Amino acid sequence: MSRQLTRQILTFAAVGAVNTATYYCLYLLFLTWLPYLAAHVLAFLLSMIGSFFLNARFTYRTRPTWRKFLLFPLTNVTNFLITTAGVYVIVDMLHAGSRFAPLLASAAAIPVTFVVSRRVMLPKAIA
């Protein structure tokens, strides 16, 4: 694995941690005057926008473009689908508890989400 790819993976993980913290803080803030679903959607959208710019600048060191910005939500769709399938497998097929299933499934989704994100942000790079 190249040094550049290793740096991108580590930076992607750090941006993800910042993004998760940002989402949760915004969610709690919006929850003070919005219904929970509206708070969730608004916090999710704002943190996703922040994630796009942080990943463009720090993870992939690429110029943000409208094309990349419009394709970036695919990374979240990918994460959602893998995490949802993972929770189902862990809870319904493996008969494990549901309390930690989302955390395990999310961890499994990170590598695939990174590959999709890298393809969106660096379309000419080999993922």
Side-chain angles (χ1 to χ4, degrees):
M1 184 178 332
S2 73
R3 291 185 73 199
Q4 178 186 20
L5 183 58
T6 301
R7 182 197 57 75
Q8 287 175 349
I9 291 169
L10 294 173
T11 307
F12 183 80
V15 167
V18 168
N19 185 51
T20 300
T22 300
Y23 160 79
Y24 192 62
C25 289
L26 288 172
Y27 173 75
L28 292 176
L29 174 69
F30 297 148
L31 197 57
T32 61
W33 77 86
L34 292 173
Y36 78 92
L37 194 54
H40 163 70
V41 169
L42 186 56
F44 184 85
L45 290 173
L46 291 174
S47 65
M48 186 173 58
I49 291 168
S51 178
F52 168 75
F53 287 106
L54 289 173
N55 276 304
R57 171 70 177 99
F58 297 107
T59 303
Y60 303 111
R61 297 180 180 176
T62 186
R63 185 175 61 86
T65 64
W66 280 108
R67 180 183 183 284
K68 292 174 189 173
F69 182 76
L70 295 173
L71 290 173
F72 192 74
L74 292 175
T75 65
N76 289 291
V77 170
T78 302
N79 189 303
F80 176 77
L81 292 174
I82 292 170
T83 302
T84 302
V87 168
Y88 172 77
V89 168
I90 291 167
V91 175
D92 285 345
M93 297 177 80
L94 299 176
H95 305 291
S98 60
R99 185 172 181 168
F100 295 107
L103 296 176
L104 295 171
S106 293
I110 290 170
V112 178
T113 304
F114 173 76
V115 170
V116 173
S117 173
R118 192 165 192 263
R119 287 197 182 269
V120 167
M121 301 300 272
L122 302 174
K124 293 180 178 147
I126 297 172

